[in-house]
Amino acid sequence: MSEHALTFASDFKSLAPGAWIKAMTDLGDAHGYFAHLGDRHMVTFMDAGPKLLVTFEDAENIRTGQADGAPAGFKFVRNEGWSHLAVMSAGQSWFREDDVIQHFDRLTDDGFFDDFDQVLFTGDDAAAYAAAAFSVAAPGARLLLTRPQATQDPRKVAFDRRHLAQRRVDFTSRYGYAPEMIEAAQHAYVAFDPYQRMDAIHAALFARDNTTMLRCGGFGANVKPTFRAMGIEDDLVRHAMDGTLNDAKFYAMMRARKDQVSYRRNLVNLAQKNGHPRLAATLCANQLRDGFDPYYAKQLKELERAGFAPLGVAVQAAAE
């Protein structure tokens, strides 16, 4: 355990929303600070060691989705002695509200980020947009972004119609276009499924000399949850913080994906979507050799009825 590690209780799983916010407030008051940023956002800072983890998350997903109901970064405060700035929203957010922007302005003006030897910004999907956008406040930071969105400005991403309501939000002012904001970063790691067309296009907009693209074929929209299920999420964060994450290390960790149910099923769907029904049948047959599963049995029956019998040679991965 690091000499900078903080000791505190954080089992908030059973707490109602109001009690959960009270617990976050008490922890912030004891070890750093807690602040409401308008009506829809809040921030908790845990002051520990010289490495700072900055996360953007949905508070309700934290409260109900994390094993202990606490921000995922808290484990790094306890085990690694990292400081942690958790920026949280009430529901999905792109963190474009004035109160959030002004908070990062104050942090910059106060030289907050200058007090740390290394800073890592991280987030998923819309929160990855925010992590990238606000990382410009800490030049030289590293970033770990899963399925990052570049912007919702229709002039730049008219191809993406998944978040039409967000087009009323201003993405043209300060901290607006996330790919430009990462140019001051020391390095950015961008994880995405290249077979998810919209995610892949957004990811491509982040490609820079200081960017490593981490391809997660077959993960679909569940990149971060699959990392967690594989047991590699924390290691990815540690390597990203230290700047030791590279292609070889990442794909070595990715070998664990073959044991994930969602990944294996995505391979079957991907094979059919790409016009390879016999490969899909083979994948189903391979899984059924390990034991009966109604999903693969149903898929194989339908494929065989359509005339696509499995190949005799087992195929291990369709997304390589």
Side-chain angles (χ1 to χ4, degrees):
M1 180 178 291
S2 167
E3 62 178 307
H4 301 292
L6 299 181
T7 301
F8 56 92
S10 62
D11 187 2
F12 307 141
K13 185 68 174 180
S14 61
L15 297 182
W20 185 88
I21 292 175
K22 175 64 164 55
M24 290 292 105
T25 304
D26 292 344
L27 270 179
D29 290 345
H31 298 289
Y33 71 81
F34 174 90
H36 285 281
L37 306 179
D39 296 330
R40 297 192 60 246
H41 298 86
M42 65 195 84
V43 59
T44 295
F45 172 59
M46 303 290 281
D47 189 4
K51 293 182 179 180
L52 173 66
L53 177 64
V54 184
T55 60
F56 293 80
E57 300 174 82
D58 182 332
E60 187 62 14
N61 288 344
I62 295 172
R63 190 179 69 84
T64 62
Q66 294 283 7
D68 58 0
F74 278 14
K75 72 184 72 170
F76 296 103
V77 179
R78 283 196 298 262
N79 300 330
E80 312 292 336
W82 295 355
S83 296
H84 181 213
L85 185 71
V87 187
M88 299 166 285
S89 62
Q92 187 188 45
S93 171
W94 297 80
F95 299 89
R96 291 296 302 159
E97 282 76 0
D98 287 342
D99 294 285
V100 179
I101 292 173
Q102 290 167 11
H103 187 71
F104 275 89
D105 285 343
R106 287 193 295 272
L107 294 178
T108 301
D109 292 342
D110 293 342
F112 173 80
F113 296 105
D114 297 336
D115 291 337
F116 300 96
D117 295 340
Q118 185 57 56
V119 181
L120 176 68
F121 284 74
T122 187
D124 175 60
D125 195 25
Y129 159 82
F134 288 108
S135 71
V136 73
R142 296 188 179 108
L143 292 79
L144 178 60
L145 311 173
T146 55
R147 300 179 58 236
Q149 309 297 299
T151 179
Q152 286 305 307
D153 181 353
R155 296 173 301 175
K156 288 186 170 69
V157 292
F159 59 84
D160 188 351
R161 301 183 60 80
R162 293 176 298 176
H163 307 287
L164 294 180
Q166 296 302 320
R167 294 190 176 182
R168 297 192 296 267
V169 176
D170 177 18
F171 282 87
T172 64
S173 57
R174 300 171 59 254
Y175 305 105
Y177 186 50
E180 289 182 351
M181 300 299 103
I182 72 170
E183 292 177 357
Q186 184 175 124
H187 204 84
Y189 304 96
V190 177
F192 67 102
D193 185 338
Y195 300 105
Q196 293 289 110
R197 184 168 179 267
M198 293 297 105
D199 287 348
I201 296 173
H202 277 275
L205 296 173
F206 285 87
R208 299 287 191 280
D209 290 340
N210 65 342
T211 305
T212 296
M213 310 301 281
L214 305 175
R215 296 164 62 88
C216 307
F219 282 27
N222 299 312
V223 175
K224 186 173 182 179
T226 304
F227 285 160
R228 184 172 302 159
M230 291 165 62
I232 68 171
E233 182 182 26
D234 292 351
D235 285 337
L236 286 170
V237 173
R238 292 187 187 96
H239 287 306
M241 173 68 84
D242 293 338
T244 57
L245 185 58
N246 54 36
D247 288 338
K249 191 163 291 184
F250 176 68
Y251 291 112
M253 287 189 282
M254 285 279 283
R255 291 173 187 151
R257 69 192 185 277
K258 66 181 184 298
D259 298 323
Q260 296 306 309
V261 172
S262 61
Y263 172 75
R264 295 197 301 264
R265 291 186 178 183
N266 280 342
L267 291 186
V268 174
N269 295 332
L270 185 61
Q272 295 191 71
K273 179 180 177 181
N274 289 344
H276 302 292
R278 196 172 300 278
L279 176 57
T282 303
L283 291 167
C284 290
N286 286 346
Q287 293 301 322
L288 290 169
R289 290 191 188 103
D290 295 332
F292 179 77
D293 184 296
Y295 172 82
Y296 296 111
K298 180 176 182 292
Q299 294 292 321
L300 181 58
K301 182 177 181 181
E302 292 177 355
L303 287 162
E304 287 182 325
R305 185 180 298 152
F308 301 107
L311 298 169
V313 179
V315 178
Q316 295 300 320
E320 300 292 354

